[in-house]
Amino acid sequence: MGGGARDQIIIKRMNKSDDQKRKRLLVINPTMDLDDDNQYFLQMWINKLLPDFEQIEVITLKKGRVLENDALKVHGLNQFRWRLVKLWHFYRLLIRLVARCDVILTQ
C-alpha cells in the first residue's frame, strides 16, 4: 500500500531543481587512499559528487594520500595511537558534522 503524503514528500525531495542543490554530504568509511587500488574508486566517486554539493566531509579510520580542496575535507583517525582516543575523536566529529549535513553515506 502507498504511503500517501510520505511518498509525496520523498518525491518532492528527489525532484529538487539544480538551483536548490543539497548543501553538505557526510561520508563515513574505513579507508580513503589514492595509493590503495581497492579504495581509489572512492576518491574518484567523491570527486564526481563535488559539483552537486557545496561541502563534502569524510570521516575515515585510515587516511592515506587524498586530494582535498575547499569543498572536500577528509578527517583521518589514524593519527591517533590508542583506540579510546580514536573513538572519542570519532564521536566528537560525528556529533559536530551530523548536525550540519543534509545527506550521510556510510560504507
Side-chain angles (χ1 to χ4, degrees):
M1 299 303 222
R6 182 175 176 224
D7 290 340
Q8 292 174 358
I9 292 170
I10 293 171
I11 291 169
K12 286 180 185 176
R13 286 183 185 166
M14 292 174 61
N15 292 333
K16 284 186 175 181
S17 69
D18 290 336
D19 297 334
Q20 295 176 325
K21 68 179 180 179
R22 291 190 172 113
K23 304 270 186 229
R24 292 179 174 265
L25 169 66
L26 174 61
V27 178
I28 303 169
N29 70 341
T31 305
M32 189 157 176
D33 189 359
L34 284 172
D35 296 328
D36 184 348
D37 292 336
N38 294 329
Q39 295 298 323
Y40 179 81
F41 79 94
L42 184 63
Q43 176 81 47
M44 297 303 107
W45 181 69
I46 288 175
N47 287 345
K48 292 212 182 253
L49 290 174
L50 279 172
D52 297 328
F53 293 92
E54 288 181 20
Q55 183 74 34
I56 297 179
E57 304 266 357
V58 179
I59 300 175
T60 184
L61 291 174
K62 180 185 172 197
K63 176 183 174 183
R65 187 172 66 93
V66 295
L67 301 174
E68 291 187 73
N69 59 33
D70 293 338
L72 175 62
K73 176 68 177 158
V74 180
H75 306 275
L77 299 175
N78 55 327
Q79 63 190 0
F80 306 109
R81 185 174 174 184
W82 294 293
R83 287 184 185 177
L84 246 114
V85 175
K86 284 182 185 183
L87 186 65
W88 185 81
H89 281 280
F90 173 76
Y91 279 113
R92 190 175 133 242
L93 280 169
L94 197 62
I95 289 167
R96 185 168 49 99
L97 296 176
V98 164
R100 297 188 303 189
C101 291
D102 301 309
V103 179
I104 301 170
L105 300 174
T106 61
Q107 180 182 5

